[in-house]
Amino acid sequence: LGEGAAPGNYGYTNSGYSVYEEENERLTESLRTKVSAIKSLSIEIGTEVKNQNKMLSDMDNDFDSAGGLLGATMGRLRTLSRGSQTKLLCYMMLFALFVFFVIYWIIKLR
């Protein structure tokens, strides 16, 4: 191959081969650090996803209990509305008169 090349060297000089080897080592180390950074990032993402899923599960339970409470309240309102309408109207009128007199009394005391 080359006239001045040493036998068994296949035409590569020692300095050229070591430059490529050093560059490969540097690139390999750079790749290793990037892979470890991606690995740690993916582990952190997994932990965050687990925390978010737990929070969503807790919120789902809270909404279920609030829905049950609202359903019970609506049932009581239906029961109340099935009663006599005149009785309910009388109670509302008495309450309105009471509020009116309280407000009148507060204004008169000033």
Side-chain angles (χ1 to χ4, degrees):
L1 290 165
E3 291 183 22
N9 201 3
Y10 303 109
Y12 295 112
T13 61
N14 287 338
S15 63
Y17 182 72
S18 65
V19 169
Y20 289 128
E21 189 174 333
E22 288 173 9
E23 185 177 356
N24 280 342
E25 289 295 324
R26 184 181 55 81
L27 291 174
T28 303
E29 187 60 35
S30 172
L31 185 62
R32 186 175 294 125
T33 57
K34 289 177 183 178
V35 167
S36 67
I38 290 173
K39 179 183 175 184
S40 65
L41 184 64
S42 65
I43 289 171
E44 290 175 14
I45 288 173
T47 304
E48 185 66 25
V49 166
K50 286 178 186 176
N51 291 337
Q52 294 292 328
N53 282 339
K54 183 182 179 298
M55 190 184 324
L56 284 174
S57 176
D58 293 343
M59 284 178 61
D60 187 38
N61 292 338
D62 291 342
F63 280 123
D64 284 344
S65 65
L69 183 64
L70 186 60
T73 303
M74 292 301 292
R76 285 189 220 122
L77 281 175
R78 271 191 228 105
T79 304
L80 181 65
S81 69
R82 285 187 195 134
S84 172
Q85 296 296 328
T86 56
K87 192 177 189 181
L88 182 63
L89 188 59
C90 285
Y91 284 141
M92 288 177 61
M93 291 298 287
L94 286 173
F95 179 73
L97 284 172
F98 173 74
V99 170
F100 175 74
F101 283 122
V102 167
I103 291 173
Y104 176 75
W105 182 64
I106 291 172
I107 290 174
K108 192 173 183 178
L109 286 178
R110 282 186 170 186

